[in-house]
């Protein structure tokens, strides 16, 4: 019996050390270190929510349910830490108090700072103090963790919200380029890509350090940080493919930072990917889908130096660097089913993006090939 209690004390000590490491990895240490406990809790909650929404066919309804997933993961993680500490300190007290039930009662009294049970001896008292400190510390760290999460979320969502008027809802790369003739001008694209380069760097750092942010969904159902990033990267890749001499230098820098961001997130999430794919490795996006994007550019008179046949292999060479990661993340997170973003768990078909129409007093039904001018941008309206 004495041997059993000694082994229990050793197991309790190991459990306390492991739990403390998990808390530090998740709440304190930066750098994309995801602990095993976080992965287990996240996977269990994800399976539960999958079962809850697997019969829901409409994305808007699924999104309302999935919005609770991130808070449930955080609550589940805190509960697991507290239970692990309770069992760990209970195992340490067991050899001293003689009964495991009494040990758990005293450990719980100290861990939750209730103070209704204690033993007036040196060893148990020291363990009680440690339990009380551990309980206060883990709750305090969790509370301090939330402002950092919300600050990173707000920084992320500011640019994502702006994408509604720049690339439609849900965001689509060709539509972003098409709107460079209306809502944002071609002259503004360099600064736009510069902002998204910095945005991608911020997301790479914050979302790998705080992986729960991947589960936080945008306020508006048709908005998504991942789909917005995909639209920006697709627009830069498409611009580089159809008009290589006119694409802004910042566009290619944004693409490169986008690659880095997605790969850093994939590393944090444990998703496999090819680090340096060949340009002719092939992509999942079909030629027919690509041609629809080209038709959208042709409809607004976007200047193209290459024909669709010439541009297609160049576009493939850019997109092969990020497509597989985006598709895996979009599937795992059940993001809004947008064009060019891959399949979803529900099998739902992509939601058509609202296209901007350049309505003018002279052409109230919409001008198909507007001139690139400030007056056109001022008179245009974002109506389907």
């Amino acid at each position: 019996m004495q041997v059993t209690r000694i082994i229990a004390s050793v197991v309790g000590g190991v459990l306390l050390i492991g739990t403390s490491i998990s808390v530090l990895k998740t709440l304190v240490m930066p750098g994309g270190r995801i602990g095993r406990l976080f992965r287990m809790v996240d996977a269990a909650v994800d399976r539960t929510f999958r079962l809850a929404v697997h019969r829901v066919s409409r994305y808007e309804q699924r999104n309302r349910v999935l919005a609770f997933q991130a808070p449930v993961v955080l609550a589940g993680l805190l509960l697991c830490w507290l239970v692990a500490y309770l069992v760990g300190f209970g195992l340490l007290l067991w050899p001293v108090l003689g009964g495991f039930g009494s040990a758990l009662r005293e450990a719980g009294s100290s861990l939750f700072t209730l103070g209704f049970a204690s033993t007036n001896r040196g060893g148990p008292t020291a363990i009680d103090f440690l339990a009380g400190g551990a309980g206060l510390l883990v709750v305090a760290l969790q509370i301090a963790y939330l402002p950092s999460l919300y600050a990173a979320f707000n920084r992320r969502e500011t640019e994502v919200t702006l994408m509604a008027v720049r690339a439609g809802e849900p965001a689509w790369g060709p539509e972003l380029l098409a709107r460079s003739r209306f809502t944002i001008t071609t002259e503004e694209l360099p600064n736009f890509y510069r902002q998204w380069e910095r945005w991608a760097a911020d997301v790479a750092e914050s979302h790998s350090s705080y992986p729960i942010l991947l589960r936080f969904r945008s306020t508006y159902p048709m908005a998504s940080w991942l789909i917005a990033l995909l639209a920006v990267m697709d627009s830069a890749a498409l611009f580089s493919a159809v008009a290589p001499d006119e694409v802004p230098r910042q566009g290619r820098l944004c693409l490169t930072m986008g690659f880095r961001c997605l790969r850093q997130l994939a590393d944090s999430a444990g998703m496999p990917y090819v680090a340096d794919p060949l340009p002719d490795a092939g992509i999942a996006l079909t030629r027919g889908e690509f041609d629809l994007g080209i038709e959208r550019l042709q409809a607004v008179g976007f200047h193209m130096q290459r024909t669709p046949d010439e541009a297609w292999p160049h576009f493939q060479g850019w997109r092969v660097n990020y497509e597989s990661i985006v598709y895996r993340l979009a599937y795992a997170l059940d993001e809004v089913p947008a064009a060019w973003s891959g399949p979803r768990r529900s099998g739902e078909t992509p939601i058509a993006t609202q296209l901007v129409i350049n309505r003018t007093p002279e052409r109230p039904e919409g001008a198909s090939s507007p001139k690139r001018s400030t007056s056109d941008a001022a008179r245009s309206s974002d109506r389907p």
Side-chain angles (χ1 to χ4, degrees), residues 162-173 175-176 179 231 353-354:
L162 289 172
M163 286 293 287
V165 296
R166 296 178 178 181
E169 288 186 310
W172 186 39
E175 181 63 13
L176 194 156
R179 294 191 185 200
T353 302
Q354 290 184 343

Side-chain angles (χ1 to χ4, degrees), residues 276-361:
D276 187 21
L278 296 175
D280 59 352
I283 59 177
L285 188 79
T286 65
R287 176 60 192 271
E289 291 173 303
F290 173 78
D291 287 340
L292 289 176
I294 293 293
E295 289 174 10
R296 177 56 181 155
L297 297 185
Q298 291 172 337
V300 298
F302 191 90
H303 180 255
M304 291 185 285
Q305 298 173 316
R306 289 176 175 148
T307 65
D309 289 337
E310 293 170 336
W312 171 240
H314 291 276
F315 179 74
Q316 284 182 297
W318 285 109
R319 202 172 204 260
V320 72
N321 291 283
Y322 58 89
E323 183 190 71
S324 63
I325 300 177
V326 171
Y327 279 20
R328 287 191 179 99
L329 282 173
Y331 184 89
L333 301 175
D334 199 6
E335 297 288 356
V336 55
W340 291 21
S341 65
R344 296 295 184 273
R345 301 172 181 173
S346 63
E348 187 174 357
T349 57
I351 299 173
T353 302
Q354 290 184 343
L355 307 181
V356 69
I357 297 178
N358 185 43
R359 302 187 189 277
T360 66

